[in-house]
Amino acid sequence: MSVTSRYREAWEGFWREAPEEQGAVFWDAEPALTVGLHLALFEPHLTAPTLPLVDLGCGNGTQTRFLAGRFPHVVGADLSDAAIEHARQGDPAGLATYRVLDAGEKDEAQTLHAELGDANVYMRGVLHQAEPDDRQALVDGIATLVGTRGRAFLVELAEAAKPVLMGLAQGPSGPPPKLAPVFRHGIAPGEVADDAVPEYLRAAGLEVVASGELPLVTTEYTPDGTRIELPSKWLVVSGV
């Protein structure tokens, strides 16, 4: 099942409007504060670290480039053509490769798996932004990419993040500048119940190897200068 056209158009509009510079997007935090912390949790559970690594939902490629410095073959994949264009422009040295991918479309996930073989997957904050009817298909796509030898590291906003986001959006001055485009383009973060994620994984035939909680760092600050961090949960999963 492919993603809805509304969802795809929302992301195209968001990324066409997004500035080029790193850190201009709400979740585009420095790798040392994001994927760098995640790798410390992920790498101990990798049984085949030399497999290709897919950064699923790579956006403008900030985290992809960091991953490319640590794994032999990294592919940044995103639903949005505009996001992939940002990623390619930000990587003139070609540290990673990039492709437009609808991971919820069975044929596309199978095609990438046929090219790469089993892969490790990194996905940060994608499932909670997907349309409800597309979430299981997205997780099924991850299972296809992982196969039997790969592992996936998934980070998703916890339920507790939604009231934080709503509070920011409803502040006296409206949402912070970097959060405003998310709502303006109809992207609704923080919509997945905590107990739904394990069910999606189970239905896809994925097994949870490790899990925990870690604040998700953003690039935005409160009026008093405090960086905004959102409650999130992480999981390492494998095929079974």
Side-chain angles (χ1 to χ4, degrees), residues 39-205:
L39 278 183
L41 302 168
F42 189 24
E43 287 181 319
H45 299 287
L46 290 175
T47 54
T50 60
L51 291 178
L53 186 139
V54 179
D55 181 10
L56 194 56
C58 69
N60 62 359
T62 298
Q63 316 305 320
T64 318
R65 293 188 292 276
F66 183 92
L67 290 165
R70 286 151 180 80
F71 294 91
H73 182 194
V74 174
V75 178
D78 200 281
L79 173 71
S80 165
D81 290 88
I84 291 300
E85 184 59 28
H86 274 286
R88 287 175 175 149
Q89 290 181 359
D91 187 8
L95 300 175
T97 58
Y98 303 91
R99 67 188 293 157
V100 176
L101 178 75
D102 177 358
E105 176 57 55
K106 185 176 180 180
D107 289 347
E108 293 191 32
Q110 289 177 337
T111 296
L112 182 56
H113 182 263
E115 294 175 14
L116 299 178
D118 289 355
N120 294 313
V121 173
Y122 174 74
M123 189 176 82
R124 179 175 65 109
V126 176
L127 187 64
H128 74 268
Q129 294 171 336
E131 298 281 5
D133 289 345
D134 296 328
R135 291 170 188 156
Q136 186 61 61
L138 173 58
V139 178
D140 291 345
I142 293 170
T144 297
L145 295 174
V146 166
T148 58
R149 296 197 299 145
R151 299 230 160 148
F153 187 86
L154 313 178
V155 185
E156 292 297 331
L157 292 184
E159 279 184 68
K162 185 173 182 179
V164 177
L165 288 165
M166 293 302 102
L168 293 169
Q170 296 164 7
S173 302
K178 293 179 185 177
L179 184 58
V182 177
F183 291 106
R184 186 168 64 250
H185 287 282
I187 299 164
E191 293 294 333
V192 179
D194 292 344
D195 59 3
V197 176
E199 288 302 310
Y200 290 130
L201 297 170
R202 180 197 56 76

